[in-house]
């Protein structure tokens, strides 16, 4: 005869095992996905900033678990002030802006290049006023030229003069920050020349200006995107780049589809929409570009984005800035300026 306590413990063990089996068979509660990482990115009204707009508008950032808010600014000066105030997690700009902000104490790293000079596509150029009879640079010695001092426009003008074997003081530089004023003075003939970015080059061409030089032979990074050090961890950088690469592929595959959006966002003047050649990010040269001359490099970039700046390219910018007196407390270019 089995003692009563043994029966009681056996029954209890059976009940517990049945309960465990039922619990194992029951559907588990769905896992709660982590909240997306929020990033506020300052942007300027430049043609190549369409890359960020497409990644945000078409859900490519969201697909990577990133909630990206694009904050528009009219000038790099205003954007830099917002970065220094801690109001942004990153920004669209150029290497000069990144170095200036690093010296001002805003630790950050370049995480992507949006545009780089390529043999078949111009991004900046020197435009002559429609009212000027000169046909070459040699006829412009001593002429007034509109630039934005201590910016990439000023840097590129020096690169252009070096490329042509001309002295740095070949022109009389007029520091005119407001682009509408620069355009009006150029088209009216009050200035003989101006160094301008696209799509403004296309715009002044439609008004009769002549382009006598552009950046296609320089092979230098022109626009970059940087994140603050606190946001530039390896995982965030990888997801951010994947979203940008997806946007680049979409734009390069159907460039004409994105021209109206550029107009709507104020990145392309309506008057230039029919003649502007859409910026190409990482794709190969199109048929028209490939036919533009012999020996054109038609290859695309493997990951759909232009390569990150190299050490020698960063040092070239930094050395130019030191000569201009723009970097006063940064004798050496930071080794960690580009995120790996």
């Amino acid at each position: 005869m089995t003692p009563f306590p043994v029966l009681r413990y056996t029954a209890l063990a059976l009940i517990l095992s049945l309960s465990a089996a039922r619990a194992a068979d029951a559907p588990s509660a769905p896992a709660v996905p982590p909240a997306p990482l929020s990033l506020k990115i300052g942007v300027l009204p430049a043609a190549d900033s369409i890359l960020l707009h497409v990644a945000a508008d078409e859900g490519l950032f969201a697909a990577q678990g990133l909630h990206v808010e694009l904050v528009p600014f009219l000038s790099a000066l205003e954007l830099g002030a917002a970065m220094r105030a801690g109001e942004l997690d990153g920004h669209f700009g150029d290497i000069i802006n990144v170095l200036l902000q690093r010296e001002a104490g805003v630790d950050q790293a370049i995480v992507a290049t949006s545009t780089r000079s390529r043999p078949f596509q111009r991004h900046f150029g020197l435009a002559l006023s429609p009212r000027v009879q000169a046909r070459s640079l040699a006829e412009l010695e001593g002429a007034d030229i509109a630039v934005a001092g201590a910016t990439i426009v000023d840097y590129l003008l020096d690169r252009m003069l070096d490329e042509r074997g001309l002295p740095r003081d070949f022109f009389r530089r007029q520091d005119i920050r407001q682009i509408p004023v620069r355009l009006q003075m150029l088209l009216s003939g009050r200035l003989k020349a101006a160094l301008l970015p696209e799509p403004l080059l296309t715009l002044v061409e439609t008004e009769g200006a002549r382009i006598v030089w552009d950046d296609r032979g320089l092979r230098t990074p022109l626009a970059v995107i940087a994140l603050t050090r606190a946001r530039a961890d390896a995982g965030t950088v990888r997801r951010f780049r994947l979203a940008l690469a997806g946007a680049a592929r979409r734009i390069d595959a159907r460039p004409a589809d994105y021209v109206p959006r550029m107009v709507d966002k104020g990145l392309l003047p309506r008057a230039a929409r029919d003649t502007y050649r859409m910026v190409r990010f990482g794709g190969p040269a199109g048929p028209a570009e490939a036919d533009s001359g012999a020996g054109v490099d038609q290859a695309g970039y493997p990951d759909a984005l232009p390569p990150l700046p190299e050490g020698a390219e960063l040092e070239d910018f930094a050395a130019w800035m030191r000569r201009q007196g723009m970097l006063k407390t940064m004798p050496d270019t930071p080794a960690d300026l580009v995120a790996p």
Side-chain angles (χ1 to χ4, degrees):
M1 181 175 177
T2 305
F4 178 75
V6 174
L7 286 174
R8 183 176 62 184
Y9 293 139
T10 302
L12 180 60
L14 180 60
I15 291 170
L16 290 175
S17 64
L18 289 173
S19 298
R22 289 195 185 104
D25 292 338
S28 58
V32 178
L37 176 65
S38 294
L39 298 172
K40 293 179 70 173
I41 307 295
V43 294
L44 296 168
D48 41 343
S49 68
I50 188 64
L51 183 69
L52 285 157
H53 289 284
V54 170
D57 294 348
E58 299 189 5
L60 298 174
F61 282 130
Q64 294 296 330
L66 301 173
H67 174 73
V68 174
E69 176 187 356
L70 301 182
V71 184
F73 291 87
L74 294 178
S75 73
L77 192 65
E78 296 170 344
L79 191 155
M83 285 291 292
R84 290 191 296 275
E87 298 171 359
L88 300 171
D89 299 299
H91 68 102
F92 165 92
D94 57 47
I95 292 172
I96 293 173
N97 293 333
V98 173
L99 285 167
L100 286 173
Q101 291 174 26
R102 278 292 295 261
E103 186 176 64
V106 185
D107 195 9
Q108 60 192 268
I110 295 169
V111 300
T113 302
S114 62
T115 47
R116 173 182 283 270
S117 295
R118 301 177 77 180
F120 59 79
Q121 180 172 257
R122 73 183 186 190
H123 297 279
F124 289 85
L126 184 64
L128 301 188
S129 170
R131 298 177 180 270
V132 170
Q133 299 303 312
R135 294 287 173 179
S136 67
L137 285 178
E139 301 175 63
L140 292 172
E141 185 171 6
D144 289 332
I145 180 172
V147 297
T151 67
I152 193 167
V153 169
D154 212 13
Y155 168 82
L156 290 173
L157 180 58
D158 281 349
R159 289 284 303 268
M160 179 202 78
L161 293 170
D162 292 345
E163 185 184 70
R164 297 297 180 93
L166 299 172
R168 295 279 177 92
D169 61 355
F170 184 80
F171 296 111
R172 289 187 300 182
R173 306 185 192 207
Q174 303 296 324
D175 188 2
I176 302 173
R177 299 278 168 163
Q178 296 180 321
I179 286 181
V181 176
R182 233 186 290 173
L183 294 179
Q184 191 275 331
M185 294 181 72
L186 176 74
L187 295 176
S188 68
R190 292 172 60 191
L191 288 170
K192 290 186 176 181
L195 205 153
L196 298 168
E198 284 288 10
L200 300 180
L201 279 180
T202 298
L203 178 64
V204 297
E205 274 188 311
T206 64
E207 299 292 334
R210 297 183 301 281
I211 312 303
V212 295
W213 175 87
D214 61 52
D215 66 296
R216 283 179 285 186
L218 294 185
R219 295 179 178 270
T220 191
L222 298 171
V224 298
I225 301 165
L227 296 178
T228 59
R229 185 68 58 189
R231 295 299 200 188
D233 61 274
T236 300
V237 170
R238 181 184 60 81
R239 290 184 288 160
F240 197 88
R241 285 176 179 165
L242 285 172
L244 292 178
R249 290 188 181 94
R250 292 187 182 192
I251 297 168
D252 288 346
R254 306 186 312 278
D257 292 355
Y258 290 93
V259 169
R261 193 180 307 187
M262 290 184 67
V263 174
D264 292 343
K265 292 183 179 294
L267 310 180
L268 176 66
R270 193 170 298 276
R273 63 175 294 166
D274 294 332
T275 53
Y276 172 65
R277 180 172 289 177
M278 185 67 177
V279 59
R280 189 174 293 275
F281 292 99
E289 296 153 343
D291 293 340
S292 62
V296 172
D297 177 12
Q298 300 181 45
Y301 299 126
D303 61 354
L305 291 174
L308 289 163
E310 298 177 357
E313 294 169 334
L314 296 172
E315 186 54 41
D316 190 71
F317 276 96
W320 178 85
M321 293 173 71
R322 292 187 189 102
R323 290 194 297 270
Q324 304 294 315
M326 298 167 64
L327 295 179
K328 299 179 177 62
T329 62
M330 189 188 290
D332 300 311
T333 306
D336 60 349
L337 197 62
V338 176

